[in-house]
Amino acid sequence: MADVEGKTHTCGTICLKYLLFIFNLFFWLAGGAVMAVGIWTLVDKSDYVSLLSSSTYTVAAYILIGAGAIVMVTGMLGCCATIREQRCLLIVFFVLLLLIFLLEITAGILAYVYYQECFPLCYQLNAELRADLKERMIQNYQEPGQEEITRAVDRLQQDFKCCGSYSSADWTEGAWIQTYADGRLVPDSCCKTPSDRCGVRDHPSNIYRVEGGCISKLEEFLLQHLLILGSVGLGIAFLQIVGMIFTCCLFRSLKEDIY
C-alpha cells in the first residue's frame, strides 16, 4: 500500500522517527570514521607498511575504506527512509544492516577459529616475520633503489625513538656499515638530536636504546591499532543492533498509523 500523505502520526511514531534519524546520523559518522582510518593508514603510515613483506595491512586498509563507504551509504539510505517514511526503504535499510552485521559476526568467528588453529605455529611465524623485517631494515638501508625502505627506517627510528631491528648493534651486521656508514656506527636517525654524522657515537646519551629494538615498537604499534579497530567494530555492531530494533519498531508504527 502506498504511503498516505498528510496522515497524523502518534507521539510514539514521531519519537521513533527522531531516534532512528539520530541513529543514522551516528551510523553515517561511524562509517566516515572507519573510512578515514583506512585512508590515514595508507597515506600517513605507508612508510611503516613498506617494511613488511606481507600485504595484509595494505589490503586491510582498503577493506576499511570500502566498509566505511558502504556504512556511509547505508546511513544515508536510512535517513532518506526515515524522513520520507517509506516502508519499502525501511525494509532495504534493515536488510543491509542485517547483512553487514552477519558479515562482521562471520569474520569474527573465522578469525577466532583461525587463531586457535594456528596458535602452535604463531611463535614460528612471528620469528620469520621478525627475521624478514630485520633483513629489510639492515640490508636494504641506503642501498640504490631502496629509497622507500631508507625513508621508512629513518622515520621508524625517529617516531618510535629506537635504533636497529633488535638493538643498535644490528647495524654492525649489514652492508650499510661497510659501504655507506663513513665512520658512523649507527644511522643519524638513531640520534636523540639528529644532525649530520651524529651517528659516530653510539653512547646511550646520544642514541636511542630501547629493549627489543624497533621491531618490538612496531609490533606494539600494530597491536594498538588492531585494538582500536576491534573496538570500533564492536561499537558499530552495537549500533547496528539498536538500528535494527528502531527500524522494526518504526516500520510497525507506520503500518499501524496507515491502517
Side-chain angles (χ1 to χ4, degrees):
M1 179 179 292
D3 294 327
V4 179
E5 295 183 357
K7 57 183 178 291
T8 303
H9 292 311
T10 63
C11 181
T13 301
I14 296 173
C15 289
L16 282 171
K17 282 184 60 178
Y18 279 112
L19 286 173
L20 189 56
F21 183 84
I22 292 172
F23 160 79
N24 281 299
L25 179 61
F26 279 109
F27 195 60
W28 184 83
L29 291 174
V34 171
M35 192 173 179
V37 169
I39 295 174
W40 172 67
T41 301
L42 286 178
V43 175
D44 191 55
K45 304 302 178 183
S46 58
D47 287 343
Y48 300 156
V49 175
S50 67
L51 292 173
L52 305 174
S53 59
S54 173
S55 61
T56 301
Y57 294 98
T58 303
V59 173
Y62 281 113
I63 291 175
L64 282 176
I65 294 173
I70 293 173
V71 170
M72 291 184 73
V73 171
T74 304
M76 291 176 64
L77 177 63
C79 287
C80 292
T82 304
I83 294 173
R84 296 174 64 86
E85 301 179 14
Q86 293 186 350
R87 290 182 295 151
C88 58
L89 285 180
L90 285 174
I91 294 174
V92 174
F93 174 64
F94 177 86
V95 171
L96 286 175
L97 280 181
L98 182 61
L99 287 176
I100 296 173
F101 179 76
L102 291 176
L103 285 173
E104 289 175 347
I105 295 298
T106 302
I109 293 174
L110 290 175
Y112 177 78
V113 171
Y114 176 76
Y115 176 80
Q116 293 298 319
E117 290 178 350
C118 80
F119 183 76
L121 301 175
C122 283
Y123 181 79
Q124 179 181 354
L125 293 174
N126 188 48
E128 291 176 359
L129 289 174
R130 281 171 166 260
D132 182 76
L133 183 56
K134 179 180 178 180
E135 178 77 14
R136 283 172 173 262
M137 286 185 64
I138 303 303
Q139 300 301 331
N140 296 332
Y141 186 74
Q142 289 192 346
E143 288 290 327
Q146 300 294 336
E147 290 79 11
E148 185 178 9
I149 297 294
T150 301
R151 184 173 60 252
V153 171
D154 286 336
R155 183 178 177 185
L156 182 69
Q157 294 188 142
Q158 277 296 297
D159 287 354
F160 292 151
K161 296 178 171 42
C162 57
C163 184
S165 51
Y166 291 99
S167 69
S168 58
D170 292 333
W171 288 109
T172 62
E173 304 174 10
W176 172 82
I177 195 73
Q178 303 172 2
T179 310
Y180 305 103
D182 191 24
R184 289 172 295 181
L185 300 176
V186 294
D188 294 337
S189 57
C190 282
C191 297
K192 296 178 179 179
T193 305
S195 60
D196 186 38
R197 294 185 54 79
C198 65
V200 295
R201 291 181 62 247
D202 62 349
H203 192 272
S205 63
N206 184 50
I207 68 170
Y208 293 114
R209 292 253 180 121
V210 178
E211 184 177 354
C214 291
I215 289 180
S216 64
K217 287 290 187 178
L218 182 59
E219 287 179 343
E220 182 180 342
F221 167 80
L222 295 175
L223 285 175
Q224 288 176 348
H225 274 66
L226 287 174
L227 288 174
I228 293 173
L229 295 178
S231 300
V232 171
L234 288 175
I236 292 178
F238 174 75
L239 278 177
Q240 288 172 269
I241 294 174
V242 174
M244 286 187 285
I245 294 173
F246 285 162
T247 304
C248 289
C249 292
L250 181 59
F251 180 86
R252 181 177 178 179
S253 181
L254 288 175
K255 184 176 180 180
E256 290 175 351
D257 286 349
I258 291 175
Y259 291 105

